[in-house]
Amino acid sequence: EEVLGKWPGTCRVGKAEKIQGYVHLTATRLLHLPDGVGAAGAVTVVLSEVKKFVFSPPKPGGKGKAAAMLVTAAGVQIIVEFLSPEERWIHLAELGAWIRAREAEMGRIEASQRECEEQMQVVLGCRELREQYSYIVEQTRALTHLEFIKAHTRDIIVHTPLPAAVAPVVDLATLGPSGAPGSVPDDAEAQAIFRELPSL
């Protein structure tokens, strides 16, 4: 797997001690390899399992620690700190740029998958399209799943049902004297507002 970035830095998992080495980034993983051939303590983080990224903000004069915290779905915290005296903030920015680019790409892929799922529901709900899909994709394999969707976009749009119109429902009990929902809070709500905004 191609290494997209490699930077000197430490790594700490949870409350364990920091280990010095090098941070490696690939398209799917963040790795930290300790200094020394065969040294123990290598850390591998699968990026798809990371639910939160936090990057330390730069401070005036380039002071402070350039660090990133990754939190997995299991709640494990991994903190990597970049060590280069002159370039640690550049290294952190590079990691952040790669992560943001990856997150954006994953978002586009997920959106495309959701769109394809909706289109397939239309295909399976229409006998003509369903039979064509079965023959072209499943039997003869002349087209792939995505190629069929693209080639039959116009037919799919034609057979897509229109959303049903829903009349708005207004709860008269929520209307204040002015006719707007919640326009006059009750005493409890008013007290809560003034506690939050004592200057009013």
Side-chain angles (χ1 to χ4, degrees):
E1 192 172 11
E2 181 184 0
V3 176
L4 304 175
K6 177 182 177 182
W7 312 279
T10 64
C11 180
R12 185 179 71 200
V13 180
K15 296 182 179 180
E17 293 184 359
K18 291 192 295 185
I19 298 177
Q20 290 196 355
Y22 279 84
V23 179
H24 296 70
L25 179 70
T26 72
T28 60
R29 297 179 297 165
L30 181 77
L31 304 94
H32 183 266
L33 303 180
D35 287 333
V37 178
V43 175
T44 300
V45 182
V46 179
L47 295 177
S48 61
E49 297 178 357
V50 177
K51 299 303 179 185
K52 184 178 182 181
F53 297 91
V54 181
F55 302 94
S56 59
K59 296 184 178 180
K63 298 180 180 179
K65 295 181 178 181
M69 180 176 70
L70 294 72
V71 183
T72 69
V76 178
Q77 294 184 355
I78 301 98
I79 299 177
V80 294
E81 180 184 342
F82 298 93
L83 299 179
S84 171
E86 302 297 331
E87 298 184 328
R88 63 185 185 278
W89 290 105
I90 295 176
H91 295 164
L92 178 63
E94 290 173 345
L95 174 63
W98 279 113
I99 293 297
R100 283 188 289 273
R102 182 184 182 278
E103 293 294 293
E105 179 62 21
M106 293 303 297
R108 286 191 291 269
I109 291 174
E110 290 175 0
S112 177
Q113 290 175 341
R114 287 193 297 270
E115 183 178 358
C116 284
E117 289 174 1
E118 294 172 357
Q119 292 171 330
M120 272 306 299
Q121 290 178 0
V122 176
V123 170
L124 297 177
C126 172
R127 188 185 69 177
E128 180 182 351
L129 288 174
R130 184 172 64 248
E131 291 176 351
Q132 291 184 37
Y133 181 86
S134 176
Y135 178 75
I136 296 174
V137 178
E138 298 177 344
Q139 297 178 34
T140 64
R141 297 185 179 181
L143 296 177
T144 65
H145 169 82
L146 293 178
E147 288 171 343
F148 180 89
I149 294 292
K150 184 176 180 179
H152 293 78
T153 298
R154 183 183 298 274
D155 293 332
I156 292 173
I157 292 174
V158 170
H159 289 89
T160 300
L162 296 174
V166 179
V169 177
V170 177
D171 184 359
L172 296 180
T174 64
L175 294 178
S178 65
S183 59
V184 178
D186 58 25
D187 292 341
E189 293 175 333
Q191 290 177 7
I193 291 172
F194 279 100
R195 279 197 300 269
E196 294 176 1
L197 305 170
S199 61
L200 292 179

